[in-house]
Amino acid sequence: MADITVIGLGRMGAALARAMGQAGHDLTVWNRSPDKMTPFIDDGVAAAPNVVAAISASPVILICVDSNSVADGFMRTDEVKPHLAGRTIVQLSTSTPREASDSDAWISAAGAAYLDGAIHCGPHVIGTDSADILLSGDQAAYDRTAGLLKGLGGNVRYLGANVRAASVLDLAAVCESFGRFMAVSHAARMCESEGIGLDELAVMYPEDSFSRSYANVIHASEFDKYTASLRIWESAVQRIRTQGQDAGINTDFPDYVARLFEKAIDAGYGEQHVMALVKILRDQQ
């Protein structure tokens, strides 16, 4: 039996799997698109032929796909559920707090332990000292897997038994980014309206800050160079919006931001840098 199975081999999932392998752990992988398993097979890693075999291969199952709902699509089935008992599921897909609770409930009912998590770094730093991962949920499950999960690198922080904690702190931290996007976009329009160069705006922000880099993107019109597209960020603000609706708190801020992002996507800017938002503000004379 392997030490851990990694399900989901997109950019982040593949980075997680490589880190676990480099840490010396016996690894099994599975991905819905088999071609993504090929590089691991070439390196001698065991690849499961299907999700049941993937779960049966290890006591710890680490999942990193688009969302908890996507994971439920292949996990929450009559075929899979009988194989979950006694295992620990570590969910590093994107979730809202309500989705984290829902996953915890059905996975626990199937006899498995559940940890919900959030990744606060890019794939390139997984396995290094700069990696930052949040986990919350079953205390005993964390105690059993903490040593194993150190292979992911950096700081794997356990937030306690409240399974919703990792998800809500992830979304709360992302709120700062949206504030920055909106602030720099509006600041750029202020300068443009007064004939002030955006290079002058950029140097007003601290060197090496995100705000300076965003102002420079607008100044250079380098909207085709990005790590995460405007569309990816739009999905994040929708999760913030959903959390607010689920919790019954004021959602004026994410509602406003989401409307601008939706307009940007409708205008064809979804696969551009997030600062393409300024184009929508330019259109709103």
Side-chain angles (χ1 to χ4, degrees), residues 32-144:
R32 288 168 295 168
S33 302
D35 59 295
K36 291 189 176 179
M37 296 190 287
T38 300
F40 291 91
I41 295 170
D42 291 345
D43 288 339
V45 175
N50 53 58
V51 66
V52 170
I55 290 167
S56 301
S58 310
V60 179
I61 315 299
L62 189 155
I63 305 174
C64 184
V65 293
D66 290 343
S67 64
N68 283 32
S69 61
V70 169
D72 282 355
F74 56 79
M75 292 282 289
R76 198 172 183 175
T77 68
D78 292 339
E79 181 183 24
V80 171
K81 285 180 182 178
H83 300 274
L84 293 175
R87 288 178 164 77
T88 297
I89 310 301
V90 182
Q91 177 70 271
L92 293 181
S93 307
T94 303
S95 70
T96 65
R98 178 180 55 79
E99 288 171 334
S101 290
D102 289 347
S103 294
D104 183 42
W106 81 259
I107 288 172
S108 297
Y114 182 75
L115 291 168
D116 198 78
I119 301 171
H120 267 234
C121 60
H124 62 289
V125 298
I126 295 294
T128 75
D129 290 343
S130 298
D132 190 14
I133 296 172
L134 308 178
L135 289 173
S136 56
D138 190 301
Q139 173 80 59
Y142 174 73
D143 291 343
R144 287 194 304 271

Side-chain angles (χ1 to χ4, degrees), residues 164-193:
R164 302 165 73 97
S167 176
V168 73
L169 283 176
D170 179 43
L171 293 177
V174 169
C175 280
E176 180 187 10
S177 297
F178 286 106
R180 192 183 299 118
F181 299 154
M182 304 314 300
V184 176
S185 296
H186 186 75
R189 291 299 295 126
M190 292 173 66
C191 292
E192 289 174 344
S193 71

Side-chain angles (χ1 to χ4, degrees), residues 240-259:
I240 293 171
R241 200 178 195 183
T242 297
Q243 186 281 329
Q245 293 164 352
D246 289 344
I249 63 175
N250 182 282
T251 60
D252 286 352
F253 173 66
D255 288 346
Y256 169 68
V257 174
R259 283 194 296 271

Side-chain angles (χ1 to χ4, degrees), residues 145-177:
T145 59
L148 179 69
L149 296 176
K150 284 182 180 179
L152 299 176
N155 188 16
V156 179
R157 290 184 284 163
Y158 177 63
L159 302 171
N162 180 356
V163 75
R164 302 165 73 97
S167 176
V168 73
L169 283 176
D170 179 43
L171 293 177
V174 169
C175 280
E176 180 187 10
S177 297

Side-chain angles (χ1 to χ4, degrees), residues 190-271:
M190 292 173 66
C191 292
E192 289 174 344
S193 71
E194 300 289 349
I196 306 299
L198 297 187
D199 53 338
E200 297 292 346
L201 171 64
V203 298
M204 295 292 292
Y205 297 119
E207 190 173 359
D208 297 328
S209 68
F210 285 112
S211 294
R212 179 179 285 205
S213 69
Y214 295 155
N216 281 326
V217 166
I218 300 172
H219 174 60
S221 294
E222 292 183 333
F223 300 113
D224 293 327
K225 299 178 180 179
Y226 57 84
T227 301
S229 67
L230 188 149
R231 189 182 303 278
I232 294 297
W233 282 105
E234 190 269 345
S235 66
V237 76
Q238 295 295 356
R239 289 193 298 276
I240 293 171
R241 200 178 195 183
T242 297
Q243 186 281 329
Q245 293 164 352
D246 289 344
I249 63 175
N250 182 282
T251 60
D252 286 352
F253 173 66
D255 288 346
Y256 169 68
V257 174
R259 283 194 296 271
L260 288 180
F261 273 75
E262 289 162 0
K263 288 180 181 179
I265 289 174
D266 289 344
Y269 306 142
E271 302 311 316

